[in-house]
Amino acid sequence: MPEPVIKVAVMNLRPLLVLPPLAVGILGFIWMTTRPDPQVGAPPEAELAVRVQPVVRRAIIVRAEGFGRVQAEHSWAAISEVQGRVLTVAVGLNTGSIVEAGTVLVEIDQTDNELSRQKTLANIAAVEADLAELSREEENAQRLLLVEQRILEVAQAELARVTALLDRGAGTQATVDTAEKSYLAQQTSVTNLTNTLSLFPARRDALLATLAVRQAELAEAERALEKSVITAPFRGRVASKSIEVGQFVRTGDTLLSLDSTAAAEVTAEVQPSSFGPVVLSGVQDPFVQNSSFDTSQFTEALRRAGVSAHVELSTPDRFEPWEAEIVRLRGTMDAATGTMGIVVRVADPLVAEQGLRRPPLHTGSFVRVVFSSAPKPDSVAIPRHALHMSDDGKPFVYLADQESRLAIREVLPGHVIGSEVTIQSGLTGGESLVLGLPSPPVPGMKLALVPVSAAAEGN
């Protein structure tokens, strides 16, 4: 008998395969929506790196400089005042040599002037002899006048006597006439002598005038002889020489020139804008009001302000400076550069002091003249680029406060000194000055301070 066939029914489970992923998704969604928020910290505050410099109260010296060339304080040119041939020239007299005061530099042949002097002396002797002769003649005439006057008195007495006899009838008219004639002749002689004596003063004046002329001629000849010998008026250096022995010179020829070694002068060309603070830093009112300005007032103002000066050689090598004295103001402005000329004096420019490293200060050297004010203590100065101007025209600076945050402070600037500017108010010292311009300049922003020394900033 055949075995029965058993049929088993098989279920389809494929639809159930989607349930595990769905369950996982539902669980993940529930976990994501129900988990607590993560703990996230605040981001650190950004810091702006800036350079800062401490504000220090210190003594400030205002300086200004000018340039010029060295010139001798006194220059002298030997110009011939006579003509003749050069007899002698001082030994070693050449350009650049030093001569002492009183040294005989040049002698010019003056034979003609010497002959003229001798002739004048002879003329003077002749006039003096004429004066002596005139005096003797005057003395003789005066003695003769006394005799003639005595004779006149006798003739007058004789005339009176014979006239009296005639009146008494004891004499004759002829006798009276003869006596009167003798009296008149003697009176004429006395008158002539008197007139002669009156002419002696005029003759003497004429001879004295001639003598004065001869003496003037003698002085002129002697002066010409003195001019033939040329001596150095002061100690100096020969700047130029154009004379040799045997050379014929004429009146007006320049023989040589001499520069004094006692002192040198430099006319420093200085910009008024840079020199003004040097003066104004010392005194508020340096010039006299309602008065014309002159050199003496200028030097007096600088003296009151305590301004000093020194001269430096304008060379790459560094030499010790020369102390200088401010002597005068040129008084005019240079039309091309707009500078004013200030003249300073250096004493003994060619003298080398032991221990000082500096060469002689020769005429013609190009030098720098530095003018310095008196130290102004307890002052504040900052770099010029650290001073800013607001939109409404008020100056201010950036500071870093004690918490290293940016602060803005208004200040009152003063004089500009080179790369710095003085601050009259607004800064007391001790602040941290921010150099440059923070970007962006937001007050209160955090700063990363980079200290910079004043010396490094100046460089």
Side-chain angles (χ1 to χ4, degrees):
M1 162 179 196
E3 294 180 359
V5 178
I6 300 174
K7 295 182 179 179
V8 180
V10 180
M11 297 180 62
N12 186 9
L13 299 179
R14 187 172 299 174
L16 297 177
L17 295 178
V18 299
L19 293 177
L22 181 61
V24 172
I26 293 173
L27 292 176
F29 176 77
I30 294 173
W31 177 77
M32 292 180 63
T33 56
T34 58
R35 69 175 181 173
D37 294 335
Q39 298 295 328
V40 179
E45 185 177 3
E47 296 182 351
L48 178 65
V50 293
R51 297 181 303 152
V52 294
Q53 175 183 311
V55 177
V56 181
R57 303 192 73 90
R58 54 188 170 90
I60 295 178
I61 299 177
V62 186
R63 291 185 175 87
E65 63 180 29
F67 296 87
R69 293 197 177 275
V70 179
Q71 296 178 341
E73 183 182 29
H74 299 293
S75 296
W76 171 78
I79 299 176
S80 177
E81 299 182 70
V82 295
Q83 66 177 16
R85 195 168 302 281
V86 177
L87 294 180
T88 60
V89 176
V91 178
L93 185 67
N94 290 300
T95 302
S97 59
I98 302 293
V99 296
E100 300 296 333
T103 302
V104 176
L105 304 176
V106 179
E107 291 186 21
I108 301 175
D109 182 18
Q110 287 299 296
T111 303
D112 293 339
N113 285 327
E114 179 60 29
L115 293 175
S116 176
R117 176 177 174 273
Q118 296 298 331
K119 184 188 299 183
T120 303
L121 287 174
N123 291 334
I124 290 175
V127 174
E128 290 175 345
D130 291 340
L131 283 171
E133 181 181 359
L134 181 64
S135 298
R136 182 59 59 85
E137 289 179 0
E138 186 177 16
E139 292 175 1
N140 294 336
Q142 288 175 347
R143 288 194 295 267
L144 183 59
L145 178 62
L146 294 176
V147 174
E148 295 293 336
Q149 287 175 341
R150 179 60 181 161
I151 296 173
L152 179 62
E153 292 174 357
V154 172
Q156 186 178 7
E158 178 65 18
L159 177 62
R161 187 182 64 81
V162 296
T163 302
L165 291 175
L166 180 63
D167 292 339
R168 292 196 301 268
T172 63
Q173 184 65 39
T175 304
V176 174
D177 291 342
T178 301
E180 186 176 4
K181 183 178 180 181
S182 297
Y183 171 73
L184 292 175
Q186 189 61 33
Q187 192 176 35
T188 300
S189 298
V190 171
T191 302
N192 290 336
L193 280 174
T194 303
N195 292 336
T196 300
L197 284 172
S198 65
L199 293 176
F200 278 106
R203 291 174 60 187
R204 180 175 287 104
D205 290 343
L207 288 175
L208 289 175
T210 303
L211 179 62
V213 172
R214 300 302 182 224
Q215 289 175 340
E217 292 174 351
L218 176 62
E220 184 178 0
E222 291 178 344
R223 182 174 174 81
L225 290 174
E226 292 176 358
K227 293 177 180 178
S228 65
V229 179
I230 300 175
T231 59
F234 48 74
R235 185 178 187 271
R237 182 188 294 274
V238 179
S240 64
K241 171 178 172 286
S242 58
I243 189 67
E244 296 295 341
V245 175
Q247 180 179 342
F248 184 84
V249 296
R250 295 176 176 81
T251 303
D253 289 349
T254 301
L255 310 182
L256 56 91
S257 60
L258 203 64
D259 292 338
S260 173
T261 59
E265 288 186 347
V266 180
T267 302
E269 301 293 340
V270 185
Q271 287 292 341
S273 58
S274 64
F275 188 77
V278 176
V279 181
L280 299 178
S281 65
V283 290
Q284 295 298 325
D285 189 12
F287 306 125
V288 179
Q289 299 298 323
N290 301 323
S291 176
S292 59
F293 179 77
D294 57 14
T295 295
S296 60
Q297 182 181 347
F298 175 77
T299 53
E300 176 63 20
L302 297 185
R303 187 192 64 79
R304 295 201 313 268
V307 177
S308 61
H310 67 265
V311 175
E312 301 175 353
L313 278 177
S314 185
T315 59
D317 296 332
R318 178 68 178 176
F319 296 104
E320 292 294 329
W322 288 264
E323 296 298 325
E325 174 189 3
I326 303 174
V327 292
R328 65 182 179 276
L329 181 68
R330 183 176 58 198
T332 57
M333 306 294 288
D334 188 273
T337 61
T339 57
M340 62 180 183
I342 303 176
V343 182
V344 299
R345 178 181 183 271
V346 179
D348 297 326
L350 302 182
V351 175
E353 298 184 15
Q354 186 175 5
L356 291 182
R357 180 178 176 270
R358 66 185 185 194
L361 191 61
H362 294 292
T363 300
S365 301
F366 188 71
V367 295
R368 177 191 298 107
V369 181
V370 180
F371 300 92
S372 302
S373 69
K376 189 175 182 181
D378 200 29
S379 301
V380 174
I382 64 174
R384 293 174 61 182
H385 61 80
L387 181 66
H388 307 280
M389 194 69 66
S390 63
D391 294 338
D392 54 358
K394 294 181 178 180
F396 68 92
V397 295
Y398 291 113
L399 300 177
D401 60 15
Q402 295 181 351
E403 298 179 356
S404 298
R405 295 186 179 275
L406 184 64
I408 298 177
R409 184 178 299 180
E410 292 185 0
V411 295
L412 178 61
H415 301 298
V416 175
I417 308 172
S419 62
E420 293 185 321
V421 58
T422 58
I423 301 299
Q424 298 182 10
S425 63
L427 296 177
T428 59
E431 298 93 341
S432 294
L433 178 68
V434 176
L435 305 175
L437 180 63
S439 182
V442 180
M445 67 183 301
K446 190 67 174 176
L447 302 175
L449 307 183
V450 181
V452 177
S453 65
E457 178 64 19
N459 296 333

